[in-house]
């Protein structure tokens, strides 16, 4: 849907790294000033859903865990885990070479925000990378 990029990501661990499922739904739009072939800036919101199994693993406190700690038992239900807003900027500075930066802020909601394990409900992230496009066409 030009000029909007709609994205749906679904995850399920196959190696036992975590239990349950996660899903992201996001919509990104080009920001005024983006110049095709030189730099691209996209910004937009996202929402993350998690199964009750995932939420229990990361935000729940079982009866046994509550007995071993000073925390109360907590059952974490599935649903909306967080909402976020991010900006992704890519700059082609020398032919196929580019720099990419991503910044985002997210707000935990529902059981993730209510869990006694949660100390910060608002989280931020930033990453930067340098890359090279091997196709010979830097205007992706």
């Amino acid at each position: 849907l030009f000029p909007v990029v709609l994205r749906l990501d679904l995850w399920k661990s196959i190696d036992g790294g975590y239990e349950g499922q996660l899903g992201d739904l996001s919509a990104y739009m080009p920001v005024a000033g983006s110049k095709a072939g030189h730099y691209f800036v996209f910004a937009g919101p996202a929402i993350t859903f998690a199964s009750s199994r995932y939420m229990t693993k990361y935000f729940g406190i079982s009866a046994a865990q509550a007995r071993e700690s000073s925390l109360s038992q907590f059952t974490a239900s599935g649903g909306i885990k967080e909402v976020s807003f991010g900006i992704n900027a890519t700059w082609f500075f020398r032919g196929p070479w580019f720099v990419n930066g991503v910044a985002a802020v997210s707000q935990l909601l529902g059981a993730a925000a209510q869990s006694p394990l949660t100390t910060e409900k608002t989280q931020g992230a930033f990453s930067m990378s340098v890359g090279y496009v091997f196709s010979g066409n830097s205007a992706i």
Side-chain angles (χ1 to χ4, degrees):
L1 299 174
F2 188 79
V4 177
V5 176
L6 297 176
R7 181 175 165 170
L8 174 64
D9 294 310
L10 301 172
W11 297 283
K12 176 164 179 39
S13 175
I14 59 172
D15 66 357
Y18 63 85
E19 297 177 19
Q21 298 84 32
L22 282 171
D24 277 339
L25 178 61
S26 57
Y28 291 94
M29 298 166 279
V31 174
S34 295
K35 185 175 179 185
H38 296 287
Y39 63 92
F40 307 90
V41 180
F42 285 84
I47 187 167
T48 302
F49 300 90
S51 69
S52 59
R53 195 167 179 180
Y54 176 92
M55 295 295 279
T56 297
K57 171 82 173 179
Y58 289 98
F59 298 101
I61 301 172
S62 69
Q65 291 169 327
R67 281 191 303 273
E68 295 175 10
S69 70
S70 61
L71 300 173
S72 300
Q73 184 175 350
F74 182 76
T75 303
S77 59
I80 297 174
K81 177 187 168 221
E82 67 186 352
V83 293
S84 57
F85 184 85
I87 297 174
N88 184 326
T90 302
W91 171 49
F92 285 89
F93 62 90
R94 187 174 301 267
W97 286 96
F98 65 92
V99 173
N100 178 260
V102 178
V105 63
S106 63
Q107 179 71 39
L108 292 175
L109 299 173
Q114 297 164 0
S115 172
L117 298 173
T118 299
T119 58
E120 297 290 331
K121 295 177 184 171
T122 304
Q123 305 167 3
F126 176 78
S127 70
M128 185 167 276
S129 60
V130 175
Y132 183 88
V133 177
F134 287 99
S135 69
N137 181 4
S138 63
I140 297 177

